Amino acid sequence: MQNPTLLQFFHWYYPDGGKLWPEITDRAAWLSEIGITMAWLPPSYKGESGGYSVGYDSYDLFDLGEFDQKGSVATKYSDKQQLLAAVEALRSHNVGVVLDVVLNHKMGADEKEQISINRVNPDNRDEIYDEVVECEAWTKSTFPVRAGEYSKFVWDHKCFSGVDHIENPDENGVFKIINDYTAEGWNDQVDNELGNFDYLMGANIDFRNNAVSEDLKYWARWVMEQVPCTGFRLDAVKHIPA
């Protein structure tokens, strides 16, 4: 019985310009010949930086290089058609596909919202200060170009537990959003580094909001139909409640 062998088919400094998906298509047969049984692919959806995004600044999970968002139709690695061709080439040579997925946070929101926050000690996240600060933050994503195709879910401040930037007043730091889901503070069942490592970066997704969890599960089913894959590599798992 052949031992499974996983190849990470990307790196952080892979060049821009939509070259990765075609390269995978070209090398699929060779990967099989040398004994690779699974290829680990980078995040395949649109990030905040559009065609320059490595993929960890998640903007729209439902845009696999199909919509003109964040300055480009294609992702850094090429468009949806090329992604599907790459996956088909791998599968036709019996190489499984592992998709890298970032479900911990979102970036690049479309609109600001008026929110209430508590400042947090960044070195001890359990130290949440009592003062309530009224401010604005980039927490609403409507994906106007995609216009509800595949999913009509709108992300707003109730979907998140924290942010690292606020406006009016303008500050950077760690800020706990005050809403119906965050009364107990941060999520537990996360890494205890810095007291509680629920918050990492961007707008931190709050899985206590059932609508959020259900939309992400819906997305997982959707992407497995769109891009037949063997499984996922989940980024930032120590920041996500078990």
Side-chain angles (χ1 to χ4, degrees), residues 19-71:
K19 300 175 182 177
L20 183 64
W21 301 152
E23 181 181 352
I24 290 172
T25 300
D26 291 342
R27 296 198 180 199
W30 172 74
L31 291 177
S32 180
E33 289 169 6
I34 66 172
I36 300 300
T37 58
M38 287 185 288
W40 169 14
L41 308 188
S44 56
Y45 43 78
K46 195 66 59 69
E48 178 184 26
S49 303
Y52 300 101
S53 170
V54 178
Y56 297 90
D57 53 347
S58 299
Y59 167 64
D60 187 359
L61 298 178
F62 288 95
D63 183 358
L64 303 176
E66 185 178 3
F67 302 95
D68 190 356
Q69 301 186 113
K70 299 303 179 185

Side-chain angles (χ1 to χ4, degrees), residues 122-188:
D123 298 317
N124 178 7
R125 310 295 176 75
D126 287 329
E127 190 174 338
I128 300 170
Y129 303 121
D130 292 333
E131 182 188 8
V132 175
V133 179
E134 303 297 328
C135 60
E136 293 179 315
W138 291 92
T139 49
K140 190 168 185 178
S141 294
T142 60
F143 316 110
V145 177
R146 181 162 56 78
E149 188 166 353
Y150 304 131
S151 171
K152 300 186 187 309
F153 191 76
V154 171
W155 292 74
D156 63 18
H157 69 280
K158 294 182 180 179
C159 300
F160 305 107
S161 58
V163 290
D164 54 12
H165 174 72
I166 59 174
E167 297 182 8
N168 298 318
D170 290 3
E171 291 182 35
N172 295 320
V174 177
F175 310 103
K176 186 183 75 67
I177 296 173
I178 300 172
N179 62 43
D180 296 341
Y181 303 96
T182 61
E184 302 300 321
W186 302 111
N187 268 294
D188 55 11

Side-chain angles (χ1 to χ4, degrees), residues 185-222:
W186 302 111
N187 268 294
D188 55 11
Q189 299 182 340
V190 294
D191 194 88
N192 61 8
E193 187 177 345
L194 302 178
N196 177 298
F197 221 172
D198 180 10
Y199 185 82
L200 176 62
M201 64 175 64
N204 188 71
I205 291 176
D206 196 338
F207 298 90
R208 291 171 292 193
N209 182 333
N210 187 62
V212 167
S213 298
E214 290 303 313
D215 186 68
L216 292 176
K217 287 187 283 186
Y218 165 72
W219 173 81
R221 294 191 296 269
W222 173 85

